[in-house]
Amino acid sequence: MTKQADVVVIGGGITGTAILHELAKYNLRAVLVEQEPELAAGTTKANSAILHAGFDAPTGSMKARMNVAGNAMYHDLKDELDLDIRWSGSYVAALDDEQMAVLQELLERGNANGVPGLKIISGDEMRKEEPNVSKDIKGALWAPTAGICWPFGLALAFAENAVINGAEVIRECQVTGITVEDGAVKAVETDKGTIETKYVINAAGVHADEISRLAGDDSFQIHPRRGEYILFDKTAQKDLVYSPIFPTPTKMGKGILVCATTHGNVFVGPNAQDMPDSEKDDTAVTIPGMDDILDKARRLVPNIPVGATITEFVGVRAVSSTGDFILGPSEKTKGLIQAAGIQSPGLTSAPAIAKYLVDGIVAETGAAAKTDYKKGRPAQPCFRMMAEADQKALIAKDPRYGRVICRCETITEGEIVDAIHRPVGARTVDGVKRRTRAGMGRCQGGFCGPRVTQILSRELNIPVTEVRKEMRNSYMFYDKESGGKA
């Protein structure tokens, strides 16, 4: 493969896909490369899924600026891209007078950052809305503009809209080098070939410093910080919470919280473990980590139903050596644009980061806005949420919508087939799961997993032995004798 592009985006997480979505509004040839078969396979798939209000980051920092702007942008994007967002608001809980003083600091910082509607309420006022929180909570900071979302769905929506507007997404495409001549970017080298370009946007998450060094810029480092989570069955929500409940923050982050999801589950986490740079991709959960999460979560919500646990998982955050987002043109290599160190509130900040960076490229190139830009993306059918008459009509049109594959979540064969053939379609079992929820229920794919595997094999026209769980080499079948896929 040898191709030309005006801009190459490296990294298919929420930041990279938001940037591609913004680039697709202009007459620019934009290509995104992602090393894994699925988008959002890194930090984006494993985080707290909160759209933060913007009171936590230091006033004047990139984190604060992008957070507040991004939050406002999502209020418009929700309907435009059919995003899975619930504007729940959020609470930061204080257990004593010292923590109440921290709430006052957060309130003042939030006001300085331009966050609307913040106020401190009493513990009793909080318990009227969240009756299961601790009786020891003395007060809370209420942020009405915060929300919860489905991060993978956000990233997918950005990518799908970009693709229908002419951008390209190349998956399983690992960057091996960046050609620089006379101090300027000339091409991106990948294991699939060369992409000639004048601009590279580095949105490579925990590997952003490595990508930057390939282009001759070693001005920052990215250090991995692991966060472990526990996810509970939907039946537990009545005993837990409906909004994000934070403790007062520490220097390591926002702390271990208790939070609902847009799908009706509840989770607790994350903790914060600084890891060696050699372990950027370590996503193993630990028993001490689980114990730590439960201990701290119970300070906010005493009756955590451990028996309702359905899975545990880990996200790795990209902590920059600068302590802030690293955004904008490299000072060492012309054409290299950094979108690095995007830890919390990176999910919230993504559309604002995208606009900030793309505005710079547009100003430099003079690229015109597309006159035929298409808003939105193809509708995604959700059988279980339809009225009975609409379900019957859909089954009459396509009988595959009458075959339930995932019993826990009532996901049909028709929905799975649609997920595979969308503009940026599923290529793995987890790709189907994140697009449809097949495998996200109580049995965690025990019933539907083999059927999803068969459907992927059929629709992608590949042998069953070529079907993968998520990552490049995560084949579902393993041959013990050869030490490889079956």
Side-chain angles (χ1 to χ4, degrees), residues 51-312:
L51 298 178
H52 295 285
F55 54 78
D56 188 66
T59 302
S61 66
M62 277 293 185
K63 286 183 178 180
R65 291 170 54 191
M66 297 297 119
N67 185 348
V68 176
N71 179 289
M73 292 175 73
Y74 274 120
H75 280 76
D76 294 327
L77 289 166
K78 180 182 185 299
D79 292 333
E80 180 182 324
L81 293 176
D82 190 25
L83 302 180
D84 190 359
I85 295 173
R86 177 162 67 84
W87 297 111
S88 60
S90 69
Y91 299 90
V92 180
L95 297 169
D96 54 37
D97 289 340
E98 184 177 348
Q99 293 183 0
M100 287 296 294
V102 174
L103 297 190
Q104 185 62 38
E105 293 173 8
L106 294 175
L107 174 64
E108 293 171 2
R109 188 184 307 156
N111 289 336
N113 290 351
V115 180
L118 291 175
K119 66 177 180 178
I120 294 176
I121 62 175
S122 70
D124 287 339
E125 288 177 283
M126 180 183 180
R127 281 183 284 273
K128 287 180 181 178
E129 301 298 326
E130 295 286 358
N132 297 314
V133 301
S134 172
K135 292 180 171 55
D136 294 331
I137 291 175
K138 188 171 184 177
L141 178 66
W142 165 243
T145 58
I148 56 178
C149 68
W150 175 224
F152 177 87
L154 270 56
L156 182 64
F158 285 138
E160 287 189 337
N161 175 264
V163 167
I164 66 174
N165 280 291
E168 185 175 1
V169 172
I170 307 175
R171 291 176 279 179
E172 294 192 71
C173 185
Q174 188 166 16
V175 174
T176 58
I178 296 176
T179 302
V180 176
E181 296 178 4
D182 299 323
V185 167
K186 294 297 181 184
V188 175
E189 304 293 339
T190 79
D191 57 2
K192 286 190 172 180
T194 300
I195 308 173
E196 297 173 352
T197 185
K198 291 184 178 180
Y199 292 95
V200 170
I201 301 182
N202 175 17
V206 292
H207 299 288
D209 53 346
E210 301 160 36
I211 294 296
S212 186
R213 286 195 292 271
L214 289 177
D217 185 344
D218 60 357
S219 60
F220 65 90
Q221 294 80 45
I222 299 296
H223 305 294
R225 180 175 292 165
R226 282 166 30 100
E228 298 172 282
Y229 294 84
I230 301 173
L231 182 71
F232 302 106
D233 186 51
K234 292 178 181 179
T235 57
Q237 187 173 62
K238 67 182 186 307
D239 300 315
L240 293 168
V241 299
Y242 295 90
S243 303
I245 313 293
F246 293 93
T248 51
T250 70
K251 64 179 181 179
M252 290 294 286
K254 296 178 176 69
I256 292 171
L257 63 143
V258 184
C259 184
T261 74
T262 58
H263 301 128
N265 303 90
V266 176
F267 68 85
V268 295
N271 53 10
Q273 306 167 9
D274 284 328
M275 305 296 290
D277 289 354
S278 60
E279 299 182 22
K280 288 184 176 181
D281 298 310
D282 182 357
T283 56
V285 297
T286 65
I287 292 175
M290 298 296 101
D291 290 341
D292 180 48
I293 288 170
L294 290 171
D295 177 63
K296 290 184 171 66
R298 287 184 176 118
R299 299 176 192 179
L300 300 175
V301 181
N303 298 317
I304 301 291
V306 179
T309 300
I310 57 175
T311 192
E312 303 89 18

Side-chain angles (χ1 to χ4, degrees), residues 32-61:
L32 182 147
V33 294
E34 164 56 44
Q35 66 178 348
E36 301 298 345
E38 295 292 351
L39 298 177
T43 304
T44 301
K45 74 173 184 187
N47 60 73
S48 301
I50 296 170
L51 298 178
H52 295 285
F55 54 78
D56 188 66
T59 302
S61 66

